[in-house]
Amino acid sequence: MLEKTTRMNYLYDFYQSLLTPKQRNYMSLYYLDDYSLGEIAEEYEVSRQAVYDNIKRTEAMLEDYEQKLLLFQKFQQRHKLLHRLKTHIAERYPNDEELMKLVLELEKLE
Amino acid sequence: MLEKTTRMNYLYDFYQSLLTPKQRNYMSLYYLDDYSLGEIAEEYEVSRQAVYDNIKRTEAMLEDYEQKLLLFQKFQQRHKLLHRLKTHIAERYPNDEELMKLVLELEKLE
């Protein structure tokens, strides 16, 4: 469950701009702010079931976007390579600030 | 016009998985294979106007996705940084194959 939460947090981060405002509200309360379904239902004056259905549909949409665009997968692959690059540079060329700066700029684009 | 074609080629490349099969067919004939609107209309037995409308709508969708996800913009920024990294490494550490390999692997993820 924790693993799923982490994954959903990442997917939400990458694809939130493709969601509707309502989907974004429910998802961020549920996944980022750790509200329960009941608390969200009360906040928006809808049934718990309606919140549940909306969140389930949004989760499926996020997985569908990921299957098509692979942003999270590519992020993870780049993240690993950038880590190896930084380690290599720190060990071999600790005084080459220009080189490390370029890698850190790449990392900032994530 | 050439600039627009190049941009559409890139946007199509990044977001084609989010389009319908028909949108993909029209766009790839028009932008990749350089068919005219009339030729596409003939091929699919629809009006030239229908092809035109479909392609205009698809172009707007691609621009909308780019505004939301910035995949092309980030690709260009990474591309520049990777180029500077490769130049720096080739000048300073031409014998460090491990270092260059890591950068080339990053580049392959684009």
Side-chain angles (χ1 to χ4, degrees):
Chain A
M1 185 56 194
L2 191 63
E3 203 177 303
K4 189 191 162 190
T5 301
T6 306
R7 180 175 173 83
M8 277 301 146
N9 268 303
Y10 271 109
L11 294 185
Y12 179 71
D13 207 37
F14 285 113
Y15 302 112
Q16 59 175 290
S17 63
L18 301 177
L19 302 177
T20 65
K22 190 168 95 176
Q23 288 175 318
R24 274 202 290 272
N25 289 339
Y26 287 5
M27 288 297 279
S28 78
L29 287 173
Y30 190 66
Y31 278 110
L32 307 182
D33 302 333
D34 206 27
Y35 274 47
S36 71
L37 294 172
E39 286 167 331
I40 300 172
E42 206 170 313
E43 180 96 4
Y44 283 87
E45 296 179 358
V46 295
S47 71
R48 191 184 171 287
Q49 185 65 37
V51 175
Y52 177 81
D53 290 345
N54 188 292
I55 287 177
K56 284 297 140 193
R57 269 199 307 276
T58 308
E59 286 175 0
M61 275 180 70
L62 293 178
E63 289 291 358
D64 187 52
Y65 282 130
E66 174 61 9
Q67 208 174 356
K68 287 174 175 164
L69 293 173
L70 304 174
L71 298 188
F72 182 39
Q73 183 184 308
K74 285 185 176 179
F75 162 80
Q76 288 174 301
Q77 291 170 325
R78 272 200 297 267
H79 185 75
K80 275 184 205 156
L81 286 168
L82 286 168
H83 180 75
R84 286 169 61 196
L85 257 178
K86 285 192 294 182
T87 307
H88 187 94
I89 293 167
E91 281 171 9
R92 307 269 193 100
Y93 317 111
N95 299 318
D96 190 337
E97 287 176 18
E98 168 73 10
L99 182 59
M100 188 59 101
K101 215 184 106 202
L102 286 169
V103 175
L104 293 177
E105 276 183 58
L106 266 176
E107 200 170 44
K108 251 196 299 182
L109 284 177
E110 294 300 338
Chain B
M1 184 58 195
L2 191 64
E3 203 177 303
K4 188 191 162 191
T5 301
T6 306
R7 180 174 173 84
M8 278 301 147
N9 268 303
Y10 271 108
L11 294 185
Y12 178 71
D13 207 37
F14 285 112
Y15 301 111
Q16 58 176 291
S17 63
L18 301 176
L19 302 177
T20 67
K22 189 166 96 176
Q23 288 175 318
R24 273 201 292 272
N25 289 339
Y26 287 6
M27 288 297 280
S28 77
L29 287 175
Y30 190 67
Y31 279 108
L32 307 181
D33 302 333
D34 207 28
Y35 275 46
S36 71
L37 295 173
E39 286 168 332
I40 300 172
E42 207 170 314
E43 179 96 2
Y44 283 86
E45 296 180 357
V46 295
S47 71
R48 190 182 170 288
Q49 185 66 38
V51 176
Y52 177 82
D53 290 346
N54 187 294
I55 287 177
K56 285 296 139 194
R57 269 199 308 275
T58 309
E59 286 174 0
M61 276 180 68
L62 293 178
E63 289 290 0
D64 187 52
Y65 283 130
E66 173 62 10
Q67 207 175 358
K68 287 173 174 164
L69 295 172
L70 304 175
L71 298 189
F72 181 39
Q73 184 183 309
K74 284 184 178 178
F75 162 80
Q76 288 174 300
Q77 291 171 324
R78 275 200 295 268
H79 184 75
K80 274 185 206 157
L81 286 167
L82 287 167
H83 179 75
R84 285 169 61 195
L85 257 178
K86 286 193 293 182
T87 306
H88 187 94
I89 293 168
E91 282 172 7
R92 305 268 194 101
Y93 317 110
N95 299 317
D96 190 338
E97 287 176 15
E98 168 74 9
L99 183 59
M100 187 58 100
K101 215 184 107 202
L102 286 168
V103 175
L104 293 176
E105 276 183 59
L106 266 176
E107 200 170 44
K108 252 198 297 184
L109 284 177
E110 294 301 340

